[in-house]
Amino acid sequence: MKAKIHKELLATSALAMLLTLLFSMLAFYGIFKEQVFADLRADAMLLKSMHVFEKPETLCPDSYELEPDKLRITVIAAEGAVLFDTNAAAGSMESHEDRPEVREAFLQGEGSKSRRSKTLDKKLFYYAVDLGNGSVLRISREARSFLAVALDLLPMAVAAVLLLLPVCLVFASYFTKSLMRPIEQMAETLSEPDAAVVYKEFVPFMTTIRRQHEDILKNAALRQEFTANVSHELKTPLTAISGYAQLIEHGMAGEENIARFAGEIHKNSKRLLSLINDILQLSRLDEKNQEPDYTAVDLYRLSEDCLCQLEMVARRQGVTIRLSGKSAVIRADRHLMEELLYNLCDNAIRYNNQGGLVKVTVSETAGQVCLSVQDSGIGIPKEHQMRVFERFYRVDKSRSRATGGTGLGLAIVKHIAAQHGAEVFLESEEGKGTEIRVVFYRK
Ligand code: ATP
Ligand code: MG
């Protein structure tokens, strides 16, 4: 970027220099031309005031020792006939009536014109003045053309450019540095949210970068916390399994306890398995590039299947399940929907009371489909309601652990819902029950 700015500054100054040179040469040539005409006019006026050319027939062209190609004097009669010329025999010359300067002089008293000569790098300047006796006196001289003048000035122009070039180089590098300094400072103060941004064009850019920077830091902290939580959660069942296995191994269990210890080992390994499944599920959901496999899914049919699976668990807990509503098809990933339903119904049964009720309702209104899972269970105290969707968050650790919970279910629900553009609403009252609604919007 620095090199580019530097290069462009140099190019701009080079262009400015060239244009300045060109324009000053044009201006110079304009002044030069004006001077030539002014000289010619002064000469013509002088010659007119001397009344020498009023009677051309008395003049002898050869008696004027004018430098050839420098100054030429011609006298032209009203019809255009050349009466006198210093450079040629007047008689043999064609009519000069159509010469613009001559015509102008006849009409307005004086006239001027410049013409390019065939030799190209020379230009002819004409000045004509009415002598007042029906004839016009015209004088002309050669002068250098613009190209010739420009070529003459070229060495000076080159010298000026060579002299200015180092100055431009120094300024360009100074301006580049002063332009870049605030940007470099910005890069250094990336993590300081209050550091001022000098260029207002960079404010949106910096805001985005700083936000991303914060996000990265936050994500790193979350990941670290997650890893710590996972290790801790894995440790508990593994310690139990290893403890019971050790007791059996050393014959310290006693015949009567073997079955109980095996049961504990079984329970804890199941917990480990479900924990690992949940973690795998979450990390799969976290993978941004893993696109869900959207198909038409009937939420009502899916709820039926899910409740069928949980039937046994519910009966063991003395909980009744009821499904109501009607068929509602949404575009969703079937596998993820099963997971969402299972987690919600599993909670509704697990955190319920003996003889409790779980009501699953699938309803549809204009543009949205609502899945509601309602229970008459223990409820969630107000202060925990915001946090139950966090990973590993459990209201009552001892009860949740006793029922094999790891605090990942609702985090998964929230994740899946977000992926489907759905919203999750929680309503709960301690001791009365909980309702979780997932609202899907039709696109
Ligand atoms: P798992 O990962 O096996 O689902 P979990 O059930 O403990 O474990 P979540 O489903 O995320 O984890 O629930 C988090 C916490 O929210 C639970 O530990 C429980 O305290 C509370 N909770 C969730 N659903 C209900 C409910 N229907 N009634 C009362 N409390 C609930
Ligand atoms: Mg759960």
Side-chain angles (χ1 to χ4, degrees):
M1 183 172 169
K2 234 178 190 167
K4 191 171 154 63
I5 292 177
H6 194 244
K7 228 188 278 167
E8 275 167 20
L9 272 176
L10 271 182
T12 312
S13 45
L15 190 72
M17 265 196 303
L18 282 179
L19 283 177
T20 312
L21 269 175
L22 188 72
F23 281 118
S24 52
M25 274 184 186
L26 277 172
F28 175 78
Y29 191 68
I31 295 169
F32 170 77
K33 236 164 91 172
E34 244 171 61
Q35 190 57 51
V36 171
F37 276 127
D39 288 350
L40 275 178
R41 186 172 185 273
D43 288 350
M45 288 308 171
L46 181 72
L47 289 175
K48 184 188 172 182
S49 68
M50 285 164 68
H51 307 288
V52 185
F53 294 95
E54 277 163 20
K55 290 193 190 76
E57 60 277 7
T58 63
L59 299 170
C60 173
D62 300 332
S63 64
Y64 297 91
E65 283 183 13
L66 297 173
E67 233 181 287
D69 303 337
K70 281 285 178 209
L71 196 69
R72 175 182 175 188
I73 305 169
T74 316
V75 180
I76 301 136
E79 330 73 62
V82 177
L83 301 175
F84 170 82
D85 193 278
T86 50
N87 287 29
S92 63
M93 287 172 75
E94 49 165 28
S95 167
H96 269 43
E97 199 189 0
D98 59 339
R99 302 293 195 272
E101 71 280 1
V102 175
R103 208 159 349 126
E104 222 175 288
F106 275 125
L107 284 172
Q108 289 157 13
E110 43 192 286
S112 62
K113 189 79 193 156
S114 66
R115 274 194 286 277
R116 188 172 261 260
S117 93
K118 277 141 226 133
T119 46
L120 255 177
D121 69 330
K122 289 276 189 223
K123 216 166 174 178
L124 284 166
F125 290 82
Y126 297 94
Y127 196 88
V129 61
D130 191 354
L131 287 177
N133 63 349
S135 59
V136 156
L137 169 74
R138 186 187 78 171
I139 59 174
S140 74
R141 57 170 293 189
E142 273 181 8
R144 279 166 303 163
S145 69
F146 176 68
L147 208 68
V149 173
L151 279 174
D152 270 2
L153 287 175
L154 199 65
M156 225 166 72
V158 170
V161 168
L162 287 180
L163 217 76
L164 284 174
L165 209 62
V167 180
C168 285
L169 269 167
V170 170
F171 272 98
S173 95
Y174 171 75
F175 286 133
T176 310
K177 272 193 202 125
S178 81
L179 250 172
M180 290 302 292
R181 206 173 302 124
I183 299 176
E184 283 165 354
Q185 264 168 12
M186 232 162 58
E188 282 160 18
T189 56
L190 201 63
S191 49
E192 296 165 29
D194 302 325
V197 178
V198 177
Y199 299 128
K200 68 175 190 310
E201 289 83 354
F202 275 95
V203 170
F205 173 75
M206 269 315 270
T207 315
T208 311
I209 297 255
R210 279 183 180 149
R211 208 181 37 229
Q212 282 175 354
H213 189 74
E214 271 169 33
D215 283 354
I216 289 170
L217 291 179
K218 226 182 278 166
N219 274 339
L222 275 179
R223 203 164 307 134
Q224 179 144 22
E225 192 191 319
F226 183 70
T227 316
N229 276 330
V230 167
S231 324
H232 180 76
E233 293 298 328
L234 289 174
K235 237 159 110 182
T236 320
L238 271 175
T239 313
I241 291 170
S242 143
Y244 288 122
Q246 221 171 8
L247 285 176
I248 297 170
E249 187 187 10
H250 296 305
M252 292 162 76
E255 209 58 50
E256 69 284 4
N257 282 331
I258 293 265
R260 192 166 63 82
F261 286 3
E264 284 296 331
I265 290 172
H266 184 208
K267 197 180 85 191
N268 279 294
S269 41
K270 249 173 57 187
R271 214 169 109 67
L272 262 183
L273 267 178
S274 98
L275 178 66
I276 288 165
N277 271 336
D278 282 355
I279 292 166
L280 279 179
Q281 178 69 40
L282 266 176
S283 79
R284 256 199 303 267
L285 285 169
D286 277 341
E287 266 175 47
K288 290 261 168 2
N289 49 8
Q290 184 142 349
E291 268 294 299
D293 178 19
Y294 290 114
T295 51
V297 175
D298 185 343
L299 266 188
Y300 188 81
R301 284 285 325 275
L302 212 64
S303 307
E304 271 181 337
D305 294 348
C306 177
L307 294 181
C308 235
Q309 273 180 42
L310 285 165
E311 183 83 54
M312 282 304 293
V313 188
R315 201 172 297 164
R316 218 181 303 140
Q317 303 255 337
V319 172
T320 318
I321 312 180
R322 212 177 286 154
L323 174 66
S324 61
K326 62 177 172 40
S327 168
V329 181
I330 57 165
R331 277 195 67 73
D333 183 310
R334 172 174 290 273
H335 187 73
L336 294 181
M337 277 305 117
E338 276 171 1
E339 188 85 25
L340 179 139
L341 261 165
Y342 179 88
N343 276 310
L344 290 180
C345 298
D346 175 59
N347 283 350
I349 297 166
R350 201 189 289 182
Y351 306 107
N352 218 319
N353 303 311
Q354 191 71 30
L357 183 72
V358 173
K359 271 202 290 195
V360 178
T361 316
V362 178
S363 61
E364 186 172 1
T365 52
Q368 58 191 57
V369 173
C370 176
L371 167 76
S372 155
V373 179
Q374 200 178 358
D375 64 67
S376 60
I378 59 170
I380 305 169
K382 270 262 168 315
E383 66 270 26
H384 295 285
Q385 287 181 9
M386 285 296 288
R387 302 202 58 191
V388 288
F389 293 98
E390 289 173 19
R391 293 175 182 190
F392 295 110
Y393 193 83
R394 287 164 296 202
V395 175
D396 177 355
K397 291 219 184 328
S398 55
R399 172 163 179 149
S400 181
R401 194 164 290 151
T403 56
T406 52
L408 288 174
L410 286 179
I412 292 172
V413 166
K414 183 121 199 199
H415 218 316
I416 294 174
Q419 231 174 28
H420 286 76
E423 276 185 285
V424 183
F425 301 96
L426 178 133
E427 250 174 74
S428 183
E429 202 177 319
E430 207 178 344
K432 287 219 166 134
T434 305
E435 180 186 8
I436 292 186
R437 274 180 299 126
V438 186
V439 180
F440 297 88
Y441 300 96
R442 285 254 159 80
K443 278 146 214 156

